[in-house]
Amino acid sequence: MEPIEDTIRAIDYITSVGAFPTVCVFRPVIGADMERHPPPRYEEMRAIYAHVYDACRKNAIPIGAAPNIEVSLIVQPDDTRYLAEPGPATWAYEGFLGLTRAAARPIFAKKMRRTAPRTESEFGDAAPPVKAAADVGALDDAGAPPIHEAAGGGADPPAADREVEARTAYATVRFVAESAPGAFSVEESGSVLEIAPNDPLDATPSRCRLKIFRPRENKDRLCAFFYKRSNLSWSRDRFSYGAVEFLPDRLSTDDVEGWLVWLRNGFDPDRRPSHLKRAFLYTIPD
């Protein structure tokens, strides 16, 4: 949608500072404001993607070093190697890429290795933890979920304990979200709690969402998943902004308030929650 010369200048700048250029092809979508705007011509896109490879080569960008990066909406720089002109410069660059992939392989293998869950002490003690309540529907004098130990003297089976703690965590999140009248809508479906801002700060309808659920059956931890819905009403696409796993009996109102501030501010990078994970090995419920 911009002059090809501007795109090429952008690619040159991005590679000159050591970053990866990713060029997204404009595709008209039925029902969108630009549904009748023509897509780019094949000849232009071929020239642009060939330039991506040349710019990465000239700046020694190690494209393709990280494994398993697959994105449907954009073309990765290493996909453009199929447009490279054969010759000494290309062969030398491909040799360099082979060496960087080999050198990076053990690094990424170590980073992708399964690790033990964080201990409770790693979550910090800035705020008192919210303990499991005997009656998750009860509220204290201030109207907040009660903070005390579960009744029963430890006789309840682990599954029942986990359910009580999860319900208490949900009650805490709901209480904080509903304490600001009209600011958030809270919807619970099955074992999933979803929160959306009602009055975003810029007055634009917000696609930001927070979903809380148990990611692994028979495990203690819950997950707060942050995402944006697609701007197409019929699409089920979700754009992930990361997730925070937490122990329900360590959840504090300060934690929840921080999540909601981030949600309402449109996922401002400067307000990211602590312990935010960008990758996780489980399925996000609908």
Side-chain angles (χ1 to χ4, degrees), residues 28-253:
V29 176
I30 296 174
D33 290 343
M34 300 183 70
E35 65 176 333
R36 299 190 182 281
H37 195 285
R41 296 169 54 240
Y42 164 79
E43 295 79 5
E44 293 179 344
M45 295 312 302
R46 180 180 176 87
I48 286 174
Y49 285 121
H51 188 77
V52 167
Y53 183 88
D54 287 341
C56 290
R57 175 181 58 78
K58 291 175 182 176
N59 291 277
I61 305 296
I63 60 177
N68 305 327
I69 297 182
E70 299 292 341
V71 183
S72 62
L73 297 179
I74 59 176
V75 176
Q76 297 293 332
D78 49 312
D79 293 329
T80 63
R81 59 164 43 100
Y82 305 108
L83 302 176
E85 292 291 337
T90 298
W91 300 332
Y93 183 48
E94 288 296 322
F96 163 72
L97 295 180
L99 291 174
T100 58
R101 283 194 295 270
R105 192 172 296 119
I107 297 174
F108 284 106
K110 181 179 179 181
K111 287 183 175 293
M112 292 188 292
R113 199 167 55 223
R114 287 180 179 271
T115 58
R118 291 195 301 270
T119 61
E120 291 188 10
S121 61
E122 293 180 88
F123 282 82
D125 54 1
V130 176
K131 296 297 184 180
D135 178 7
V136 299
L139 298 176
D140 63 13
D141 292 339
I147 301 177
H148 57 78
E149 296 289 350
D156 291 336
D161 288 346
R162 281 195 295 271
E163 181 62 21
V164 169
E165 291 181 347
R167 300 310 306 173
T168 303
Y170 280 28
T172 300
V173 174
R174 182 183 289 276
F175 166 75
V176 175
E178 293 176 349
S179 294
F184 299 96
S185 62
V186 183
E187 183 176 323
E188 186 168 355
S189 177
S191 59
V192 178
L193 194 69
E194 183 152 345
I195 301 173
N198 285 337
D199 55 345
L201 300 182
D202 61 1
T204 302
S206 177
R207 296 185 288 124
C208 299
R209 298 291 186 272
L210 167 59
K211 189 185 292 282
I212 297 178
F213 61 98
R214 189 185 302 281
R216 301 176 182 90
E217 190 177 358
N218 299 325
K219 297 295 182 181
D220 294 338
R221 294 181 183 276
L222 299 178
C223 173
F225 173 63
F226 304 89
Y227 73 100
K228 282 186 179 179
R229 295 175 56 186
S230 171
N231 58 4
L232 302 174
S233 60
W234 47 264
S235 174
R236 297 176 59 195
D237 285 347
R238 290 182 298 208
F239 301 90
S240 170
Y241 281 74
V244 175
E245 288 191 21
F246 62 95
L247 293 168
D249 65 344
R250 297 290 299 179
L251 180 65
S252 72
T253 55

